[in-house]
Amino acid sequence: MWSVAESWYFPHALPAQWGMKYWSQVFSPYSDVSGSLLTSIGVALLTVAVCLAVAVPAGYALSRRGMPLRFFFMLLFLIPQAFPGLTVYMNVARLFYEWGLNGTVTGVVLVHSVHGMMYAIWISVAAFSSVDPLLARAARNLGASATYTFFRIVLPQAAPGIIAASIFVFLESLDEFTGAFFVGAPDISTLPLLLYNASMSGNYQISSITALILLVPSVVFMLVVNKFMRPEMLSKLGK
């Protein structure tokens, strides 16, 4: 309701004046929203690329039950979720300041990648675990190389799960606030940071519109995930 309220004061239960004035402000060429949205999308896409570069080979390796220390490596990627984000990011910001990564896109992407790696690894492991091993074995018996078998037989079967992992990482990065606040602000302005600044300054219309903008990709991509997350793959999560 705040997104379409031009004036709303106590003790009125409903807005005193309705309108789309603040929507036009948000999408005007002079607004910070469009720039922050592009920054958020760019950071999220880079985060997905970094996570997949690690998750695809790691997921393929960890899907093999005979891998030594498999349980330890699976547990290792859960560690970032085991501690309060605020304390972790404060120490990360201190280290990044020493390394010259504070206030850079690279620093924000690295923080988001560490946070999103858990989704990428665990879902990729489940995706590769759901692949029928007999197909890969048949391809090797017919003379296919290991590289050919992976890219033409195994990877296409795991692709729906990898797409789902990419979506989860993208949404996690798009909505992530704490890491971007401690590592990126004020040089890197993402949409969650803009929402925070607008709400703290009492500009509820702008913050509500920004929240709705962040909500749209979450709803759309969750419908896509619902299509790609097959029951046989879900049964492999954590195994």
Side-chain angles (χ1 to χ4, degrees), residues 22-106:
Y22 290 95
W23 283 89
S24 61
Q25 291 182 9
V26 165
F27 290 103
S28 70
Y30 306 102
S31 173
D32 295 331
V33 174
S34 57
S36 298
L37 178 60
L38 291 176
T39 301
S40 295
I41 293 174
V43 168
L45 291 175
L46 290 172
T47 302
V48 170
V50 171
C51 287
L52 287 186
V54 176
V56 171
Y60 180 68
L62 291 171
S63 65
R64 301 294 179 263
R65 297 297 183 89
M67 180 181 177
L69 301 176
R70 178 178 180 271
F71 176 77
F72 169 77
F73 287 113
M74 292 286 291
L75 194 63
L76 188 65
F77 290 103
L78 288 177
I79 289 179
Q81 311 291 331
F83 300 99
L86 183 63
T87 56
V88 171
Y89 291 133
M90 287 178 64
N91 287 278
V92 168
R94 180 180 60 82
L95 290 174
F96 278 16
Y97 181 79
E98 296 175 359
W99 299 342
L101 292 173
N102 260 30
T104 65
V105 173
T106 303

Side-chain angles (χ1 to χ4, degrees), residues 67-173:
M67 180 181 177
L69 301 176
R70 178 178 180 271
F71 176 77
F72 169 77
F73 287 113
M74 292 286 291
L75 194 63
L76 188 65
F77 290 103
L78 288 177
I79 289 179
Q81 311 291 331
F83 300 99
L86 183 63
T87 56
V88 171
Y89 291 133
M90 287 178 64
N91 287 278
V92 168
R94 180 180 60 82
L95 290 174
F96 278 16
Y97 181 79
E98 296 175 359
W99 299 342
L101 292 173
N102 260 30
T104 65
V105 173
T106 303
V108 176
V109 169
L110 288 176
V111 169
H112 287 195
S113 298
V114 171
H115 203 64
M117 197 67 72
M118 185 271 291
Y119 297 102
I121 293 291
W122 278 68
I123 297 177
S124 294
V125 170
F128 283 112
S129 297
S130 66
V131 173
D132 188 355
L134 294 179
L135 294 176
R137 191 178 305 170
R140 294 302 304 274
N141 289 337
L142 292 173
S145 65
T147 303
Y148 183 92
T149 302
F150 176 78
F151 284 103
R152 298 299 297 272
I153 305 298
V154 177
L155 192 59
Q157 294 183 78
I162 294 173
I163 292 173
S166 303
I167 290 173
F168 275 106
V169 173
F170 181 87
L171 293 178
E172 176 71 20
S173 175

